[in-house]
Amino acid sequence: MGPADRSDPSLPVVHRHDEFEEASDADLAGFEVEEDSEGHHYAVRKEHPTVPPPEPPMRYPDFSGKKALHTED
């Protein structure tokens, strides 16, 4: 088989980012590393503030069957 092909060890290592690695980095950015009192490390998903959904405008049913005097629509 012969010796392995080797590059010049004095050259810096070129690290190429592909799509999979960028997706992994984006996914890992959503975690924070925590440490407990005994020195154990674990990952915790970052919490984003929840935004309550907008409430629909209040509408009252028309029980009289008459046409409304004022409408917003």
Side-chain angles (χ1 to χ4, degrees), residues 10 36 46 50 56:
S10 63
D36 63 10
K46 292 180 184 177
T50 57

Side-chain angles (χ1 to χ4, degrees), residues 2-4 10 15 25 31 38 41 43 46 59-61 63-64 66:
S10 63
H15 185 74
D25 288 344
F31 291 94
E38 296 178 1
H41 293 85
K46 292 180 184 177
R59 298 199 180 257
Y60 296 97
F63 293 109
S64 68
K66 297 179 182 176

